Amino acid sequence: MIDKTVRFDIPTSKVYKNTKNGKTYLLYEVGYVYVPEKKYNKKLRVAIGQVCEDDPTKFHPNRNYYEQYPGAVKGGEAVVETQVTVRRPVVKVGMYVVMKQLLAKLQLEEFIDSLNGDDRGLLLDLVAYMITERTNDLEHYEDYCKSHVLFTKGKKCYSDSMVRDFLDGYRYENVQHFFETWQSIHQTHDATCYVVYDSTSVAVAYDFKTNLPVLNEAYSGLIPDDLRLEEFVNTLRRIGYQNVVWLLDSNSCSRESLTTIRDFGCNYIVIHQKACDSLRMHRGTFENIYQYRIGTKNVFGLSGKTLSEENYHLYYDPAKFSQEQEDLYQFIDKIRDDVTKKVGTNTMFSKSYDEYLDVIRDGKDNVIEACTVKEDAINEAVITFGYFELRTDTNLSSEEVYELYKRKEAIEEAFYNTPTCALNHALDSKMENFLSFIARIVYLELYNTIDSYKKEHDIKQHSLTVQSFIMSVENIKVSKNEVGEYKLVASLTAEQKNLLEVFGIDAESMELVIFNALNQ
């Protein structure tokens, strides 16, 4: 990514220019590669930046430049411009105010201040960015900074490369101190925690009562080996969690993994998104029948035992059924349209098309003549929609097991269903865990507060979610007035007032936060 907040003099040797789409890029010659077919050496070049549009003697660097010219970061032959934050005339303030409230409640600002007071604002901005934008990709971070109120001193906007340098240089001792301090204040006695672990290969332990994370560790593959698993469980026991329940996806564990978990005195709940044996036994006997309703939710379930004496809980969720059915029908409409457009050609399609379509071709030239929908295959798929099964060795009720499943689902919605993260791939695993852990703490406190409010005021589950909350408060904006002070662009709507009250924020406290953040 090009860092346009910094410019350097163009190097004088081994540098070539390449113009593409009206922009001129610099390529640096790093060596030669032998091409055996043509029997000669070919120059090997990497892009190191883009020539400045207003000054052809200077260029904006990318990350490759610092790797090829390590002296440049210390000054070298180049002159670096002083970075200036260019804030937009109108900036978003809603999530900043909510984050300030959450951080104060969790005492996270004090924690991070004790690690590195000068730079803690950047860490908090990265956490806010991850939660608000649902991505870790630094490509959009600079744009986010220009349109949001920041935690950094002077509301300074850091470029991509500066963020990476800061994170790369963060001390391991600081990270370790944070984990140890956080765990010490959550130290308890004979408490229960649940561990979320799936295909992302990160195990995160959450306190059963507070729903906040207390420990996380990255692994590879399925359940970690016995030694690392024992270390993880022993750490939880040391800080007071005697009852440990693992929440696992069926594709991230094996029967041997479950045996290992039980050998260490833990329990498990395994999630099967497509129920099999229990569904064949019970389909049509409990769906939409009031006596099988789970608590106050529009979900229905029943329980039983497997041949291996595991408890199973089979659920049917009408909303899940509708969504899965709609997704399938839209997919079928798309692939049928794709094939219809290619009638008269010999275009080949992926195997996913064959599952629901019969593509009729001319026997001689393999030309597409028509296609028909496989109605039996569609109907067979649809009758499994809306169901899922949770298997466990615990004696928790259907409602208790379902609540844990929904907690896991909320965590995955925030942290696992985001695009591949450029930020994460550039970091040491300890630093990645550190940032992710802080983001989880803040997000779960946000989720817990909203969830408690919904239960207290009997609000339907899908009418207020974390994402709908964020979208609404992101529309709260400020701009400078004629005397240079930042004020709200528009009065808070009734909806925004209600949402902010969930966190104990009224219009007066909102104005105070804005004044302290921007007008001093």
Side-chain angles (χ1 to χ4, degrees):
M1 179 179 176
I2 303 296
D3 183 1
K4 292 192 175 182
T5 65
V6 180
R7 61 175 63 194
F8 288 89
D9 293 329
I10 294 178
T12 56
S13 63
K14 294 187 178 182
V15 174
Y16 304 83
K17 294 182 180 179
N18 180 37
T19 301
K20 185 177 181 181
N21 297 328
K23 297 179 180 180
T24 303
Y25 298 91
L26 292 184
L27 303 178
Y28 177 72
E29 183 181 311
V30 296
Y32 292 87
V33 58
Y34 182 69
V35 183
E37 295 83 2
K38 297 186 178 181
K39 298 182 179 180
Y40 71 87
N41 291 322
K42 179 182 177 181
K43 290 181 179 180
L44 188 62
R45 299 168 180 170
V46 295
I48 59 171
Q50 178 185 334
V51 175
C52 298
E53 294 180 3
D54 60 344
D55 185 350
T57 66
K58 297 184 181 296
F59 77 104
H60 300 300
N62 63 14
R63 194 169 180 81
N64 291 335
Y65 176 68
Y66 297 105
E67 294 175 358
Q68 302 302 326
Y69 290 83
V73 296
K74 300 176 182 178
E77 63 177 19
V79 178
V80 184
E81 290 183 335
T82 302
Q83 186 174 3
V84 179
T85 300
V86 182
R87 184 178 288 117
R88 291 181 181 148
V90 178
V91 292
K92 300 176 182 180
V93 71
M95 274 303 290
Y96 174 86
V97 175
V98 174
M99 283 278 293
K100 287 287 288 185
Q101 193 81 350
L102 290 172
L103 292 169
K105 182 179 179 181
L106 294 164
Q107 298 180 310
L108 274 177
E109 282 192 276
E110 290 83 350
F111 272 126
I112 297 174
D113 269 339
S114 68
L115 303 182
N116 195 329
D118 292 337
D119 294 312
R120 61 96 173 166
L122 178 54
L123 280 177
L124 296 177
D125 283 331
L126 288 170
V127 168
Y129 171 68
M130 292 164 67
I131 293 173
T132 304
E133 302 297 319
R134 297 190 70 195
T135 180
N136 297 356
D137 191 340
L138 282 182
E139 181 181 356
H140 307 291
Y141 178 68
E142 190 174 336
D143 188 62
Y144 167 88
C145 290
K146 293 176 182 178
S147 61
H148 287 77
V149 179
L150 303 177
F151 288 93
T152 49
K153 288 186 176 180
K155 309 307 172 192
K156 182 179 179 181
C157 179
Y158 284 75
S159 66
D160 177 7
S161 61
M162 294 175 74
V163 171
R164 292 179 188 277
D165 289 342
F166 163 70
L167 294 175
D168 287 343
Y170 212 80
R171 290 185 297 174
Y172 171 76
E173 294 80 9
N174 288 349
V175 175
Q176 194 64 23
H177 175 67
F178 176 88
F179 280 117
E180 291 173 355
T181 306
W182 179 259
Q183 289 161 11
S184 68
I185 68 166
H186 286 83
Q187 194 158 1
T188 183
H189 300 285
D190 199 27
T192 298
C193 71
Y194 62 98
V195 181
V196 173
Y197 185 88
D198 65 8
S199 56
T200 63
S201 299
V202 177
V204 187
Y206 298 84
D207 184 278
F208 188 81
K209 290 183 178 179
T210 67
N211 206 29
L212 292 177
V214 292
L215 178 67
N216 74 336
E217 191 67 52
Y219 300 107
S220 59
L222 299 178
I223 295 297
D225 60 66
D226 291 4
L227 181 59
R228 297 192 68 185
L229 180 60
E230 184 177 19
E231 289 176 354
F232 188 86
V233 172
N234 285 343
T235 300
L236 290 173
R237 298 257 164 81
R238 177 175 52 78
I239 58 179
Y241 293 99
Q242 302 307 314
N243 306 311
V244 181
V245 181
W246 289 73
L247 272 65
L248 308 165
D249 285 334
S250 57
N251 61 357
S252 67
C253 66
S254 63
R255 178 55 56 182
E256 291 75 18
S257 301
L258 300 181
T259 300
T260 301
I261 286 173
R262 297 198 67 176
D263 287 345
F264 285 113
C266 303
N267 298 108
Y268 62 81
I269 298 172
V270 180
I271 300 162
H272 296 262
Q273 289 294 347
K274 295 298 180 183
C276 297
D277 293 342
S278 60
L279 178 58
R280 282 191 287 270
M281 286 190 293
H282 299 294
R283 185 170 54 230
T285 65
F286 71 99
E287 302 88 333
N288 300 310
I289 298 176
Y290 187 83
Q291 73 182 81
Y292 294 106
R293 188 182 180 201
I294 302 298
T296 59
K297 302 169 182 63
N298 190 33
V299 176
F300 306 85
L302 52 72
S303 305
K305 280 190 178 291
T306 66
L307 294 176
S308 59
E309 290 300 305
E310 279 183 317
N311 293 313
Y312 69 79
H313 302 279
L314 177 65
Y315 301 90
Y316 174 73
D317 183 346
K320 187 173 186 289
F321 169 85
S322 297
Q323 186 61 58
E324 290 178 339
Q325 184 184 52
E326 181 181 351
D327 290 345
L328 176 62
Y329 287 175
Q330 287 181 354
F331 174 70
I332 291 170
D333 290 342
K334 176 187 178 301
I335 63 176
R336 182 170 56 182
D337 187 51
D338 289 346
V339 175
T340 301
K341 288 178 180 178
K342 297 298 181 180
V343 168
T345 72
N346 59 0
T347 304
M348 303 302 293
F349 297 95
S350 68
K351 290 183 178 180
S352 62
Y353 285 53
D354 296 335
E355 188 173 357
Y356 298 111
L357 289 183
D358 270 323
V359 180
I360 303 169
R361 298 176 182 271
D362 177 279
K364 181 180 179 181
D365 300 318
N366 211 29
V367 171
I368 299 172
E369 296 180 340
C371 72
T372 59
V373 174
K374 295 180 179 178
E375 294 183 358
D376 289 344
I378 295 171
N379 293 336
E380 188 176 336
V382 169
I383 62 174
T384 67
F385 288 169
Y387 296 94
F388 58 97
E389 181 189 72
L390 305 178
R391 292 194 180 190
T392 178
D393 66 341
T394 71
N395 292 317
L396 297 172
S397 68
S398 289
E399 186 172 359
E400 290 172 323
V401 173
Y402 178 78
E403 286 293 343
L404 280 175
Y405 165 75
K406 294 305 290 182
R407 290 189 191 186
K408 181 177 185 294
E409 195 176 59
I411 295 164
E412 290 175 340
E413 180 186 353
F415 297 101
Y416 301 150
N417 295 339
T418 53
T420 301
C421 303
L423 173 61
N424 281 356
H425 288 303
L427 295 180
D428 171 83
S429 60
K430 287 290 182 184
M431 193 65 215
E432 179 181 336
N433 280 347
F434 179 48
L435 268 179
S436 178
F437 190 77
I438 296 175
R440 281 186 170 91
I441 292 172
V442 177
Y443 180 88
L444 263 298
E445 185 59 32
L446 182 64
Y447 172 85
N448 292 340
T449 305
I450 293 174
D451 193 54
S452 297
Y453 180 84
K454 288 194 295 186
K455 290 177 180 177
E456 183 180 341
H457 293 81
D458 196 25
I459 298 174
K460 291 183 178 179
Q461 289 294 315
H462 298 294
S463 62
L464 176 58
T465 65
V466 172
Q467 289 310 310
S468 67
F469 173 87
I470 291 174
M471 287 176 63
S472 183
V473 298
E474 274 283 272
N475 287 322
I476 302 174
K477 302 173 183 178
V478 294
S479 63
K480 275 187 178 180
N481 60 17
E482 61 278 0
V483 296
E485 290 186 349
Y486 279 92
K487 294 290 184 180
L488 289 172
V489 171
S491 299
L492 298 176
T493 65
E495 179 190 45
Q496 289 168 342
K497 287 180 180 178
N498 291 336
L499 292 176
L500 292 173
E501 284 177 5
V502 175
F503 295 87
I505 302 168
D506 55 22
E508 186 177 341
S509 58
M510 164 77 77
E511 292 283 0
L512 181 61
V513 173
I514 294 171
F515 177 82
N516 291 333
L518 296 170
N519 295 328
Q520 290 190 1

